[in-house]
């Protein structure tokens, strides 16, 4: 009788565990002060408080192999953000899960597995700095590469010599924002609409069992179409964005070194205007070091390079082609970053950082509508306080 009662109790506890709803969240408020150029609002004068992130995450596991996860996000980042939207929301069916490996499928809106940080970039506590390396993780076009409505297959093999994980997927990117309009079309004034087309993505990651050493290769082919509007001077064109990212990281007890290199191929075709139909290959690289001090302090030092066209690194050919209506420094950016973080408690974090930037390639045109007035050499100071529960 005791065994039967215990068995029933254990079964009831198992059901309760499976059905348990977990809710977490975070919020952060940032301050940005720049010289000469604007980042996340009018930061060039007295600074900008238009950098805010609020997220609410929930997960439910009704069955041992099935889990539902979702996150609502409000993100204010100058003129390029605002409102509440579904950051991600998907179901995860884990078909196989053993000590030696796992395999499963996810369906819904998911973060694109690009590089080391794209999966978790919206949570301040998971970022190495307030601003991620802009050569790889653009904030000016974040929605396009951030997430897709897609289906992903994932698997992992675990051995004594290391773990190998693979994630492959196909779906439709997010293109319904003004930053994407400006990045692809150069303006928000065209009457037509960008439409997502079937796209593809994948990442292969290797790491030692203790996480000390990590290597990854990730890529995607993001396809976007254009539907002309009434009295539109543009035709039904297409846009393709295909970055190839190589990532490496070494983690010791008190310090970490991370580096990523990317080739970014873009192609616009069929818009009916000569200045629209072109293809380029950009280049990105950063080297970053983090040191963890006692008493929950962390310091970050990073050098970040971005070239819009690897065959025109100084932007002079681009400037000449536009009749010097657009400056050469809009085609590159070299960013030296120094930052300090204090984890006051496990739930509260205070971060500060300073950027010395040469070039303006990752500035948002929405915050800097007159590109001819941007300055080549400029500084950025950022501070952020974050809370999670």
């Amino acid at each position: 009788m005791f065994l039967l009662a215990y068995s029933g109790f254990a079964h009831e506890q198992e059901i309760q565990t499976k059905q348990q709803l977990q809710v977490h969240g975070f919020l952060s408020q940032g301050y940005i002060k720049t010289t000469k150029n604007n980042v996340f609002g009018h930061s060039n004068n007295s600074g900008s408080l238009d950098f805010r992130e609020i997220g609410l995450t929930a997960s439910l596991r009704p069955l041992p192999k099935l889990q539902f996860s979702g996150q609502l996000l409000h993100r204010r980042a100058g003129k390029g953000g605002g409102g509440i939207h579904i950051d991600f929301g998907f179901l995860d069916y884990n078909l196989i899960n053993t000590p030696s490996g796992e395999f499963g499928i996810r369906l819904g809106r998911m973060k694109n597995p690009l590089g080391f940080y794209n999966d978790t970039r919206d949570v301040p506590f998971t970022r190495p700095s307030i601003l991620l390396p802009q050569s790889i993780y653009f904030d000016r076009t974040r929605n396009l590469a951030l997430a897709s409505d897609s289906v992903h297959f994932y698997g992992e093999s675990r051995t004594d010599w290391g773990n190998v994980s693979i994630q492959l997927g196909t779906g439709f990117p997010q293109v319904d924002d003004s930053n994407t309009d400006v990045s692809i079309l150069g303006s928000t004034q065209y009457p037509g609409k960008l439409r997502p087309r079937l796209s593809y993505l994948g990442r292969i990651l290797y790491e030692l069992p203790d996480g000390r050493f990590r290597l990854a290769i990730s890529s995607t082919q993001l396809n976007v179409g254009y539907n002309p509007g009434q009295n539109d001077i543009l035709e039904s064109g297409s846009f393709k964005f295909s970055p190839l990212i190589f990532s490496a990281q070494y983690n010791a007890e008190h310090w970490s070194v991370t580096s990523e290199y990317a080739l970014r191929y873009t192609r616009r075709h069929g818009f009916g205007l000569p200045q629209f139909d072109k293809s380029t290959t950009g280049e990105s690289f950063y080297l970053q070091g983090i040191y963890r001090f006692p008493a929950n302090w962390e310091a970050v030092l990073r050098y970040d390079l971005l070239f819009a066209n690897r065959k025109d690194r100084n932007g002079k050919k681009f400037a000449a082609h536009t009749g010097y209506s657009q400056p050469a420094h809009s085609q590159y950016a070299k960013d030296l970053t120094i930052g300090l973080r204090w984890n006051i408690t496990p739930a509260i974090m205070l971060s500060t950082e300073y950027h010395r930037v040469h070039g303006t390639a990752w500035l948002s045109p929405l915050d800097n509508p007159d590109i001819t007035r941007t300055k080549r050499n400029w500084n950025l100071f950022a501070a952020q306080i974050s809370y999670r529960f």
Side-chain angles (χ1 to χ4, degrees):
M1 180 67 71
F2 173 79
L3 291 176
L4 289 175
Y6 177 81
S7 175
F9 173 78
H11 179 66
E12 182 180 353
Q13 289 294 100
E14 181 183 3
I15 293 176
Q16 291 177 357
T17 301
K18 291 176 187 176
Q19 296 179 342
Q20 184 178 6
L21 176 66
Q22 297 188 14
V23 179
H24 302 281
F26 62 89
L27 57 92
S28 68
Q29 176 63 56
Y31 170 78
I32 306 289
K33 176 69 175 73
T34 57
T35 60
K36 304 173 183 177
N37 303 316
N38 289 316
V39 174
F40 297 163
H42 296 290
S43 58
N44 186 26
N45 297 317
S46 58
S48 170
L49 291 171
D50 287 345
F51 183 35
R52 188 177 309 109
E53 298 166 299
I54 304 174
L56 183 64
T57 307
S59 64
L60 176 65
R61 186 180 292 276
L63 299 171
K65 293 181 177 291
L66 181 64
Q67 177 171 311
F68 297 94
S69 301
Q71 178 170 288
L72 292 176
L73 180 70
H74 165 77
R75 185 177 187 269
R76 177 71 176 174
K79 294 184 179 179
I84 299 175
H85 68 276
I86 299 175
D87 193 35
F88 64 82
F90 61 91
L91 61 86
D92 182 340
Y93 189 71
N94 195 244
L95 293 107
I96 302 172
N97 195 337
T98 68
S100 60
E102 65 175 329
F103 175 78
I105 181 173
R106 299 184 181 119
L107 179 65
R109 175 168 296 178
M110 287 167 285
K111 296 294 182 65
N112 297 329
L114 296 174
F116 283 145
Y117 299 115
N118 200 61
D119 309 55
T120 58
R121 63 186 292 179
D122 284 331
V123 182
F125 291 85
T126 65
R127 298 194 295 256
S129 52
I130 299 173
L131 299 181
L132 283 172
Q134 293 298 295
S135 66
I136 305 285
Y137 306 97
F138 290 95
D139 277 315
R140 59 176 285 184
T141 56
R142 66 185 298 277
N143 283 353
L144 181 63
L146 179 67
S148 302
D149 297 324
S150 53
V151 55
H152 289 188
F153 295 92
Y154 67 91
E156 182 174 6
S157 174
R158 310 181 186 106
T159 65
D160 293 337
W161 53 267
N163 305 328
V164 177
S165 61
I166 299 177
Q167 190 168 342
L168 303 172
T170 182
F172 297 91
Q174 301 180 75
V175 297
D176 55 345
D177 68 289
S178 54
N179 264 323
T180 304
D181 286 342
V182 171
S183 297
I184 295 179
L185 303 176
S187 172
T188 60
Q189 303 303 315
Y190 295 106
K193 294 290 185 180
L194 294 174
R195 300 299 184 192
R197 291 180 176 174
L198 191 63
S199 303
Y200 310 93
L201 53 89
R203 180 178 62 192
I204 301 175
L205 188 148
Y206 166 80
E207 63 180 342
L208 293 177
D210 59 1
R212 184 176 293 268
F213 183 64
R214 305 172 73 209
L215 286 173
I217 299 176
S218 52
S219 183
T220 182
Q221 180 180 305
L222 295 177
N223 298 313
V224 181
Y226 179 76
N227 293 343
Q230 188 174 7
N231 300 321
D232 204 331
I233 63 172
L234 299 181
E235 298 177 3
S236 300
S238 63
F239 173 81
K240 178 190 295 184
F241 176 50
S242 301
L244 176 63
I245 305 172
F246 301 90
S247 309
Q249 185 177 74
Y250 184 82
N251 297 299
E253 181 180 0
H254 295 293
W255 55 272
S256 299
V257 175
T258 306
S259 183
E260 295 188 280
Y261 172 82
L263 294 172
R264 309 180 323 276
Y265 175 77
T266 59
R267 180 175 183 261
R268 293 186 303 191
H269 177 72
F271 285 92
L273 295 179
Q275 64 268 32
F276 270 71
D277 292 353
K278 65 178 182 178
S279 62
T280 58
T281 299
E283 191 173 19
S284 304
F285 170 79
Y286 76 85
L287 178 64
Q288 170 185 280
I290 294 178
Y291 190 82
R292 292 174 283 274
F293 297 94
N296 300 319
W297 288 84
E298 292 183 12
V300 60
L301 176 64
R302 181 172 65 233
Y303 187 63
D304 191 19
L305 287 171
L306 165 64
F307 302 105
N309 187 344
R310 65 188 308 221
K311 295 182 179 180
D312 183 26
R313 296 191 177 192
N314 57 18
K316 292 183 178 180
K317 294 180 182 179
F318 171 83
H321 181 72
T322 63
Y324 297 96
S325 62
Q326 299 188 51
H329 61 70
S330 67
Q331 298 300 291
Y332 62 83
K334 304 173 184 180
D335 180 2
L336 177 63
T337 302
I338 301 173
L340 191 63
R341 170 187 293 186
W342 180 25
N343 298 307
I344 303 173
T345 71
I348 303 175
M349 178 182 71
L350 179 64
S351 304
T352 61
E353 63 193 44
Y354 166 78
H355 298 247
R356 175 59 178 172
V357 191
H358 178 67
T360 60
W362 51 262
L363 285 182
S364 169
L366 295 179
D367 291 320
N368 302 270
D370 187 355
I371 194 172
T372 62
R373 300 185 64 180
T374 59
K375 303 301 181 181
R376 179 176 57 183
N377 298 312
W378 54 290
N379 303 311
L380 183 153
F381 171 78
Q384 185 179 59
I385 185 166
S386 307
Y387 171 74
R388 62 181 172 183
F389 59 89

